[in-house]
Structure formats: C-alpha cells, structure tokens
Amino acid sequence: MLNERTEFHIFDRGSVTGDRYCEEVLLPHVRLFRGAIGLDFMFMDDNARRHRTLAVEELLESEDITRMDWPAYFPDLNPIEHVWYALGRRISARLYHPENTQQLKQMLIEEWALLQQEMLHHLVLSMRKRWEATIAVTGGRIQY
C-alpha cells in the first residue's frame, strides 16, 4: 500500500466541499495511509478553503490525523504542485491535445498511471530538504 499510488480522483459532480472532501478523499484514502504508517503519519493538503472546513477538522481530529502546518503561499513546498506540473507537461507533449473536458480527464488518468513511482517517492522524501532551504532563505520568517 505504501509503495503504491491511489487512483486519480476527479470530482465530477459539482463543487468540492468539505463534506465531499471528507467522503471521497479523507475517509477512503488518508485514513488507510494513517493506519498503515502509524503515529508518525503527518497529513499535508494545499490549504484550500474546502480543506479547512469544520467537517474536515473534526474528521482529522476523530481519526487522530496530524496535519502539517505550513504556509498557504508556498506552493513549491507542496509535492502535489510538482505532480500537477509533471502531468501538465506530459499532456502538453502528447501528439493530440484534449478537445473537451472528458478527453482531458481521460488523459490525466492515463498520465497519472504512467508517472514513475520513484519520482513520487522522491517528491515526498525531499520535503525535509525543501523546508530547510526555505527556512535558510527566509531566516525562519515564514508568513502563515
């Protein structure tokens, strides 16, 4: 489980809310990873408002999931932003570009499956170095 990726999840029906985030992401995926890793597990999201709702806060607390505290305006520190960049590059490099939303969704799913697991591991494992570099550059003065 820890050496695998989850399925690429697309929120097809309407807007993403805190409740949907709990039901479709946190409960089926994050809870399992938390159980597999144990007390050292730390959860990182992208600080979006829908990730900071009361429902999300209560679920994380009830599952004893610790959220990583980090500034919202430092996207380079978040591995998922690098994954999105890699997916975008791969789709741009395709011979045929998506002509509609459905084609884009299908291409994202395909490219997600083709991303090398080693790259994903490297992004996660590089977090400490990124934090240390950011602290060194900012002198520890990071705005939250």
Side-chain angles (χ1 to χ4, degrees), residues 66-96:
T66 302
R67 176 183 283 170
M68 182 179 198
D69 187 27
W70 67 288
Y73 300 107
F74 280 76
D76 288 345
L77 292 176
N78 190 335
I80 195 63
E81 299 302 332
H82 296 272
V83 172
W84 278 118
Y85 179 72
L87 288 171
R89 278 196 346 240
R90 292 176 70 98
I91 288 173
S92 293
R94 282 181 165 222
L95 187 57
Y96 299 101

Side-chain angles (χ1 to χ4, degrees), residues 76-79 82 119-133:
D76 288 345
L77 292 176
N78 190 335
H82 296 272
M119 183 207 54
L120 300 174
H121 279 284
H122 173 74
L123 284 172
V124 172
L125 295 175
S126 68
M127 284 302 302
R128 179 178 298 273
K129 287 181 184 176
R130 282 192 245 168
W131 265 112
E132 289 169 353

